[in-house]
Amino acid sequence: MTQVTDDIIIRTVARLLIPFIQLYALYVIMHGHHSPGGGFQGGVILGASFILYLITHGLEEAKARMSEVKAGLFSSFGLLIYSGIGLLCLILGSNYLDYGELSAILKVIPAQARSLGILGVEIGVGIAVMAVMFSIFFDISTGGVLPEDEEGESEGR
Amino acid sequence: MSNFFLYLGMGLFTLVLFCLYRGVFGPGVLNRIAGICAIGTKTLVILLLMGFIYNRVEMFIDISMVYALLNFIGTITVAKYLEIRGEV
């Protein structure tokens, strides 16, 4: 599933389409409270763009852009943003994920602080979902065995 | 005008049933893939028609774009799987 495809049409279409997919994913994450979407949906679209890159350009080039280690780090980092904002609200003296208290830090009115707080949480959820989607596809398509682990045996997997 | 979109959507839904028949009973894998892809494109248009019926097109355009995108990626994935398995 992860070897390089030799079809130039697929490679060119994927190379042209992937930046627009990622731009659209960022739009879905940022615009989540005005239209359908949000952190999870935008993260799924962002992960789909990386999966498309892995399918079309092969394992070696995809590992330069997003490897298994990077995916693990990104999923933890997204969870850190999410729980960090929640704990920051808890430290400032209100409930978990009650963004109104963030107005003391951000120097804005509480309504605007709620909007910014939920935007930060959605960015964290989007990063985590993107990394986990890519990681699941990576594990399934390689069977959990990377080519450098067993030399010569996993050719053409 | 809303009735026009409603009848158009019902017609497309009838066509989806024919594609579903080809997807379930179609001889061979390629006919099934073609049927499922046709269902995906028809679903996209049905979503846009729903947006016109409910007067909220700007909501449904987002959903239909994501649907088209995931349909494209799914088709490429299935095609590559069949290429590797050597069934085509």
Side-chain angles (χ1 to χ4, degrees), chain B residues 32-64:
Chain B
R32 289 193 171 97
I33 294 176
I36 290 169
C37 293
I39 289 177
T41 50
K42 283 177 183 34
T43 311
L44 193 150
V45 180
I46 288 175
L47 276 172
L48 284 179
L49 288 175
M50 278 173 66
F52 278 113
I53 289 171
Y54 291 121
N55 281 323
R56 306 190 74 176
V57 192
E58 71 276 1
M59 291 269 177
F60 285 81
I61 276 183
D62 289 357
I63 306 172
S64 62

Side-chain angles (χ1 to χ4, degrees), chain B residues 3-86:
Chain B
N3 275 335
F4 173 69
F5 290 128
L6 190 63
Y7 294 140
L8 210 55
M10 286 162 68
L12 277 175
F13 185 76
T14 319
L15 291 179
V16 165
L17 290 181
F18 289 121
C19 294
L20 192 63
Y21 175 80
R22 190 52 66 201
V24 174
F25 298 106
V29 184
L30 292 179
N31 280 325
R32 289 193 171 97
I33 294 176
I36 290 169
C37 293
I39 289 177
T41 50
K42 283 177 183 34
T43 311
L44 193 150
V45 180
I46 288 175
L47 276 172
L48 284 179
L49 288 175
M50 278 173 66
F52 278 113
I53 289 171
Y54 291 121
N55 281 323
R56 306 190 74 176
V57 192
E58 71 276 1
M59 291 269 177
F60 285 81
I61 276 183
D62 289 357
I63 306 172
S64 62
M65 274 182 69
V66 174
Y67 202 88
L69 169 70
L70 294 181
N71 197 26
F72 167 68
I73 294 180
T75 308
I76 284 187
T77 312
V78 173
K80 185 158 189 188
Y81 178 72
L82 290 176
E83 183 192 1
I84 291 170
R85 290 279 300 270

Side-chain angles (χ1 to χ4, degrees), chain A residues 26 29-33 81 85 99 113-125:
Chain A
L26 293 182
I29 292 177
M30 288 293 170
H31 221 249
H33 39 282
I81 292 178
I85 290 177
Y99 315 109
R114 286 182 195 279
S115 175
L116 289 173
I118 198 153
L119 184 62
V121 163
E122 277 183 353
I123 289 172
V125 171

Side-chain angles (χ1 to χ4, degrees), chain A residues 3-12 55-58, chain B residues 80 83-84:
Chain A
Q3 71 264 40
V4 185
T5 175
D6 53 351
D7 192 18
I8 193 164
I9 297 174
I10 299 285
R11 287 170 68 93
T12 311
I55 289 172
T56 54
H57 285 72
Chain B
K80 185 158 189 188
E83 183 192 1
I84 291 170

